[in-house]
Amino acid sequence: MAFDREGPLSRESEQELVQQLVAGDEEAVRALYARFGRSVYTVGLRLLGGSEAAEELTQDVFLAAWRKAARFDAARGRLSTWLMAIAHNMAVDRLRHEHGVTRPILVSVDEVPDVVGTHEDESIIERDRARRAMSCLSMAERQLLSQAYFYGWTAREIAEAEGIPLGTVKTRLRTALIKLRAANAEEARTGIRIGQEEVAP
Amino acid sequence: MTCPEVRERLAEHALGVLSRPDAREVERHLEACPGCRKESAELLEGASVMAMSLPPAEVPAPLEDSILGRFRAQSGHAHPPTRIRLRVLAAAAFAAVLLAMSATTWAVVKNKQLDTLHQLIAQKNGEVQGLASAIASFKEAGKTFEADLLPPVRGRGSGTAAIFSAPRTNDLVFVDVVLPDRETGPFIVQVVDGRRAINAGRLHQTVEGDWLLYAFSAEDLSEAVTVTVLNSSTGRMVLTGTVQPYAA
């Protein structure tokens, strides 16, 4: 089965793509890279701070995805979630290993986009949706998540820096993630609904 | 870890900032606990939205090739069965059969077992015919040529040359010759087309005593006219033959 390189994949298609990856099908690697290569590289660049490190990370992520593919279960989560978790974990591991800390070098909170808009390119539907979902968070929530996700601060470190109780930080992190996930899902539903209305006679 | 202990850590786990030992414990628990796993999946989805929302960076063009290269190397897969690969395989197999045929044949000739020689030639011809059919099935792959190499007047020795020429991949030259013992070389092989003489490489002597060349050439050999073996010390022609399309 050939996979389109753009547009959303159904969960069944995601599972099938990963099964082909398990089987060592090079086309599956190509399809996966076409969809997520840029996102993985971007995460690498933001966390590791250099194109060479980001390239190396991207290579490692796709090879890790192939090795771990048998463990992917579409019923448990989306392919993008799974792959981005691999990418982020590997980037953080690398930072810990190389620098002894989880502080990313480059990103600043200001870089987290808060301006949203529509884009006609099918291949970045998911990104636009994510950006719109991010805009549903308050500035404080975005900053909190960014401190952890992009700067690698632990809940304890955030609590100490902000002078708020550890339990409160953990609760806020959890709440913000749930809210972000819900906003993204809602964006996806809205997108589908709008699409259906558009094609309706 | 208990469920409440795990759930307290799930947000940090999703954001990748849990210590490694804690993360391992959480993951062990998640394997066995559908409830916590569900919540973890939701939080991970939220975290991935952050990654996906980043302004896209410009990806270096060769990155995909690097990934595919490492994938091929580590998966144990060679290249997928593309036409180019089939060409190379066909050429290599063709050369291997010629190698087997020539070496055995010449060894028998030396022993003067002529009856056996005829049987062997018949057998090897059959193998070559089979392979030629296989090559012919790659109709777009390229062309195969051969040349019977013979000495000039009063010279001794003989041999076979085969050329497999295909677009978009290196051409292959295979030469196997037997020369009198007094001929010590070194010998080089030249492929001559209408415009130039292309040096295909140097012959190496096998333990059986024949001389072999098996080389890839970056030059286009599809217009070859003759194949010549030269003594590179003296510049003297030792064997030569006219290139003809391979007769399957």
Side-chain angles (χ1 to χ4, degrees):
Chain A
M1 176 178 175
F3 291 92
D4 293 337
R5 293 186 167 203
E6 295 180 350
L9 281 177
S10 68
R11 282 183 189 266
E12 293 75 21
S13 297
E14 287 189 349
Q15 189 69 57
E16 196 165 340
L17 174 60
V18 174
Q19 277 167 357
Q20 293 197 8
L21 197 61
V22 173
D25 184 345
E26 187 174 309
E27 266 311 302
V29 182
R30 287 180 191 275
L32 198 67
Y33 179 83
R35 286 181 167 276
F36 302 115
R38 182 181 290 245
S39 299
V40 170
Y41 177 81
T42 299
V43 167
L45 196 61
R46 289 295 181 270
L47 266 78
L48 301 176
S51 58
E52 200 177 323
E55 278 188 59
E56 210 172 283
L57 178 86
T58 308
Q59 292 184 31
D60 290 346
V61 166
F62 280 91
L63 287 172
W66 161 57
R67 288 196 202 94
K68 295 178 177 182
R71 287 152 63 182
F72 172 77
D73 181 355
R76 292 188 185 182
R78 302 307 304 251
L79 189 52
S80 57
T81 302
W82 180 72
L83 199 63
M84 287 306 142
I86 292 175
H88 187 259
N89 286 341
M90 289 181 80
V92 170
D93 277 353
R94 191 156 298 186
L95 283 171
R96 282 176 176 160
H97 178 71
E98 289 172 6
H99 304 289
V101 292
T102 58
R103 300 285 188 280
I105 299 160
L106 198 66
V107 75
S108 79
V109 176
D110 297 337
E111 289 183 58
V112 178
D114 56 4
V115 179
V116 295
T118 56
H119 199 295
E120 292 174 0
D121 188 342
E122 277 287 305
S123 67
I124 64 164
I125 284 176
E126 199 160 359
R127 183 169 298 113
D128 276 352
R129 194 165 66 215
R131 294 174 71 179
R132 285 196 296 273
M134 286 291 285
S135 71
C136 295
L137 299 180
S138 69
M139 179 60 84
E141 287 171 323
R142 284 207 296 273
Q143 183 161 332
L144 185 69
L145 287 181
S146 299
Q147 279 174 309
Y149 194 77
F150 293 125
Y151 280 85
W153 288 23
T154 64
R156 183 173 299 282
E157 287 171 331
I158 296 171
E160 287 169 2
E162 304 292 330
I164 47 180
L166 176 60
T168 306
V169 174
K170 289 184 176 182
T171 304
R172 286 181 185 170
L173 284 174
R174 179 184 176 281
T175 305
L177 282 177
I178 294 288
K179 194 170 163 183
L180 188 54
R181 183 243 176 204
N184 192 56
E186 180 58 26
E187 287 292 335
R189 272 193 296 275
T190 308
I192 290 168
R193 197 167 58 244
I194 289 170
Q196 285 168 342
E197 285 168 3
E198 281 173 353
V199 296
Chain B
M1 275 188 195
T2 62
C3 286
E5 286 171 330
V6 167
R7 293 197 182 201
E8 189 198 334
R9 290 168 170 79
L10 282 182
E12 282 185 283
H13 179 253
L15 291 161
V17 294
L18 212 51
S19 71
R20 211 169 283 173
D22 270 8
R24 273 198 290 269
E25 277 220 52
V26 165
E27 281 153 19
R28 232 184 339 259
H29 178 93
L30 292 177
E31 283 302 312
C33 179
C36 290
R37 200 159 60 225
K38 183 172 181 296
E39 178 159 343
S40 171
E42 289 175 1
L43 295 170
L44 276 168
E45 204 176 316
S48 80
V49 175
M50 299 198 64
M52 296 303 291
S53 71
L54 283 170
E58 197 59 42
V59 182
L63 184 53
E64 181 176 9
D65 284 342
S66 303
I67 291 168
L68 291 170
R70 284 183 62 186
F71 171 75
R72 286 173 196 141
Q74 295 189 22
S75 64
H77 289 264
H79 295 269
T82 59
R83 282 184 187 157
I84 288 175
R85 179 169 172 250
L86 290 174
R87 284 169 199 158
V88 174
L89 282 178
F94 178 66
V97 169
L98 282 178
L99 174 65
M101 178 178 74
S102 301
T104 314
T105 304
W106 290 119
V108 173
V109 168
K110 281 180 174 177
N111 293 332
K112 302 185 187 312
Q113 298 169 347
L114 291 178
D115 288 345
T116 314
L117 172 63
H118 290 309
Q119 289 171 13
L120 272 171
I121 288 173
Q123 179 193 333
K124 295 299 177 185
N125 277 345
E127 289 175 14
V128 172
Q129 294 286 334
L131 189 72
S133 300
I135 292 171
S137 69
F138 310 127
K139 283 181 181 171
E140 299 163 51
K143 301 172 188 169
T144 307
F145 306 95
E146 63 178 341
D148 290 329
L149 304 179
L150 298 168
V153 179
R154 289 196 298 275
R156 295 183 65 193
S158 64
T160 305
I163 296 170
F164 188 82
S165 177
R168 290 192 294 157
T169 186
N170 285 348
D171 290 358
L172 185 146
V173 182
F174 176 82
V175 177
D176 184 356
V177 302
V178 170
L179 295 168
D181 290 343
R182 60 184 165 79
E183 294 275 10
T184 55
F187 304 108
I188 58 165
V189 175
Q190 279 189 347
V191 178
V192 181
D193 65 15
R195 294 175 293 123
R196 63 214 163 132
I198 299 157
N199 190 347
R202 186 174 157 180
L203 289 171
H204 293 274
Q205 195 163 27
T206 72
V207 290
E208 287 89 4
D210 55 339
W211 295 80
L212 284 182
L213 168 70
Y214 179 31
F216 289 95
S217 170
E219 302 286 346
D220 176 13
L221 303 179
S222 62
E223 301 298 325
V225 177
T226 60
V227 174
T228 302
V229 176
L230 298 170
N231 184 315
S232 62
S233 296
T234 63
R236 184 174 55 84
M237 180 194 293
V238 180
L239 299 171
T240 189
T242 303
V243 174
Q244 297 175 332
Y246 182 78

